[in-house]
Amino acid sequence: MFVTMALLSPQLKNNERKKTMNAPHLHALEISKISYNFGAKKALENVNFTIRPGEFKVLLGPNGAGKTTLFSLITRLYDTSSGKISVNGTALNEHPAGALARMGVVFQQPTLDLDLSVRQNLLYHAALHGLSKGDAFQRMDVELSRLGMHDRMGERVRNLNGGHRRRVEIARALLHQPDLLLLDEPTVGLDVPSRRDIVEHVHALSDQDGIAVLWATHLIDEVESGDSVIVLHHGNVLADGPVSKVVEENQSSDIAEAFDVLTRRRAE
């Protein structure tokens, strides 16, 4: 009988994550030969990359690069017409429930119910993942506390500012203790301090908890020197690797210059 990662106890969950991190052949996310069209318009073309367990990888590209389309394919909002997507070795098209159970997702567009409280939003999500109320409250306490939102649990989401709503969405995405966290432009519209706090928090999740992260953004300043980066432009992967390697290969002084070189070269 298949047991989803969402239903494992915290100790078993940590043990399973350690096993995954110690298996070098197993990727938290594997994207292989993914292409996607909207009619005659090509949104993605032969996209390939992997994310290791515990790795923080930035999907960097301008608006319209194909980032959201790729996220829609990974989360099964769109069906793949070619290629393969696997999560911890589980093929998304063959075992969608098993693969999706290992993901936590923060979409670009807000998805909280504004008329419910923070607690009610999170309890609803926990129920969808089969968590008992006891487990749900325990995990809510942990995740909201880490994000400085525990004292706002009873507030209606409508009364929160944009940065606090994003924090609630991140807490919600972590309730079922996923192995892979996907964030699509999670800081759009937020002020600089709020953006920085969220970037730092998600990096800490990757470093301390061993969660694999795919962070999609068009904002260069959200890429840190120790990150891995995928440069996506017009649906094509132009670079994939540690920031230092991408910078060196493009004879640049930093990732901003390397990004400019790559995207300008593609336009020529």
Side-chain angles (χ1 to χ4, degrees):
M1 182 176 65
F2 178 77
V3 180
T4 69
M5 299 297 282
L7 302 181
L8 295 175
S9 70
Q11 184 58 49
L12 284 174
K13 180 68 178 179
N14 289 337
N15 290 341
E16 288 298 320
R17 185 169 289 153
K18 287 177 182 177
K19 288 178 185 177
T20 300
M21 292 182 73
N22 290 329
H25 63 283
L26 198 61
H27 295 110
L29 178 65
E30 183 174 4
I31 305 294
S32 178
K33 300 179 180 178
I34 290 294
S35 297
Y36 196 82
N37 293 353
F38 291 103
K41 182 181 179 182
K42 190 173 291 293
L44 297 169
E45 184 173 4
N46 196 33
V47 172
N48 299 273
F49 65 85
T50 60
I51 302 178
R52 301 186 310 274
E55 182 179 18
F56 191 105
K57 186 160 261 190
V58 180
L59 181 63
L60 178 65
N63 292 329
K67 302 188 299 296
T68 296
T69 299
L70 182 58
F71 268 56
S72 296
L73 291 169
I74 298 171
T75 55
R76 291 278 290 182
L77 294 177
Y78 299 161
D79 284 327
T80 53
S81 54
S82 67
K84 184 178 180 180
I85 299 173
S86 297
V87 180
N88 280 358
T90 301
L92 186 62
N93 62 333
E94 296 173 6
H95 303 287
L100 292 171
R102 298 167 185 254
M103 299 181 200
V105 186
V106 177
F107 291 103
Q108 183 174 353
Q109 297 300 321
T111 56
L112 295 171
D113 189 320
L114 299 180
D115 293 318
L116 297 182
S117 68
V118 171
R119 179 186 295 108
Q120 289 170 324
N121 270 278
L122 269 58
L123 281 174
Y124 178 72
H125 179 83
L128 291 178
H129 281 273
L131 297 178
S132 69
K133 270 197 172 182
D135 283 344
F137 276 112
Q138 181 183 22
R139 295 180 191 177
M140 284 163 55
D141 285 345
V142 170
E143 298 305 337
L144 289 173
S145 294
R146 291 204 289 186
L147 285 156
M149 291 292 294
H150 191 272
D151 61 341
R152 315 295 293 272
M153 195 182 294
E155 288 191 39
R156 188 176 294 188
V157 170
R158 186 178 300 280
N159 297 330
L160 302 178
N161 63 34
H164 287 158
R165 292 180 189 180
R166 272 308 195 200
R167 293 184 188 202
V168 174
E169 289 186 298
I170 292 170
R172 181 182 63 181
L174 295 168
L175 283 182
H176 60 291
Q177 297 179 307
D179 297 303
L180 172 66
L181 181 61
L182 309 172
L183 304 102
D184 186 11
E185 300 275 7
T187 64
V188 168
L190 304 184
D191 58 36
V192 172
S194 295
R195 286 175 50 211
R196 176 47 48 190
D197 285 347
I198 289 174
V199 171
E200 289 179 355
H201 179 70
V202 178
H203 270 91
L205 289 172
S206 181
D207 292 339
Q208 298 168 15
D209 294 1
I211 298 175
V213 174
L214 181 61
W215 176 288
T217 186
H218 67 278
L219 300 169
I220 297 287
D221 65 347
E222 292 183 355
V223 184
E224 299 191 354
S225 59
D227 293 339
S228 290
V229 63
I230 303 160
V231 176
L232 188 69
H233 189 50
H234 294 317
N236 292 269
V237 173
L238 305 185
D240 178 10
V243 166
S244 57
K245 179 182 176 183
V246 173
V247 169
E248 181 182 356
E249 287 179 345
N250 290 278
Q251 301 178 342
S252 302
S253 59
D254 55 27
I255 189 60
E257 184 181 351
F259 179 74
D260 182 62
V261 168
L262 285 163
T263 52
R264 187 161 24 88
R265 184 186 302 152
R266 179 72 183 181
E268 291 173 352

